[in-house]
Amino acid sequence: MSIENIRRFFQSFAWFGKWVVAPIVLGALLIAGGVLLSRQEIDFDTFLNYFALGLLIFVLITLFYGIIAIHDIPYEIAKKRNHPH
């Protein structure tokens, strides 16, 4: 394996990692809420409040990374065409 192949692998893995973080956080919040709900440590209304908060955070993170991804498209096109701008 050349160094360039290793560099490309880690760059593609970094993009993959960015898109996986938000669903993992949302899933962890959902699982933690389900465990607390099943133990009757919290009531259903409190669980829904935490779930809504987790969903809001998930949407904000997804929008943030989506905007960055859309912003990078012209740069990648210019880079592919060897354009200076």
Side-chain angles (χ1 to χ4, degrees):
M1 280 188 120
S2 69
I3 293 176
E4 186 62 32
N5 287 342
I6 294 171
R7 183 176 296 135
R8 269 189 262 136
F9 172 75
F10 282 115
Q11 285 175 348
S12 65
F13 184 71
W15 261 114
F16 179 74
K18 289 178 184 178
W19 289 103
V20 171
V21 169
I24 287 175
V25 169
L26 181 64
L29 288 172
L30 187 61
I31 290 171
V35 167
L36 290 174
L37 188 62
S38 67
R39 288 183 169 181
Q40 297 297 324
E41 293 181 17
I42 61 171
D43 58 346
F44 192 64
D45 289 337
T46 306
F47 168 74
L48 288 179
N49 286 336
Y50 285 124
F51 180 74
L53 179 64
L55 191 61
L56 180 65
I57 292 170
F58 171 75
V59 168
L60 290 175
I61 290 172
T62 303
L63 283 175
F64 177 75
Y65 283 123
I67 290 170
I68 290 174
I70 290 171
H71 175 74
D72 285 347
I73 291 172
Y75 168 75
E76 292 296 329
I77 293 171
K79 186 176 168 185
K80 182 179 176 184
R81 295 178 181 174
N82 293 324
H83 198 274
H85 297 292

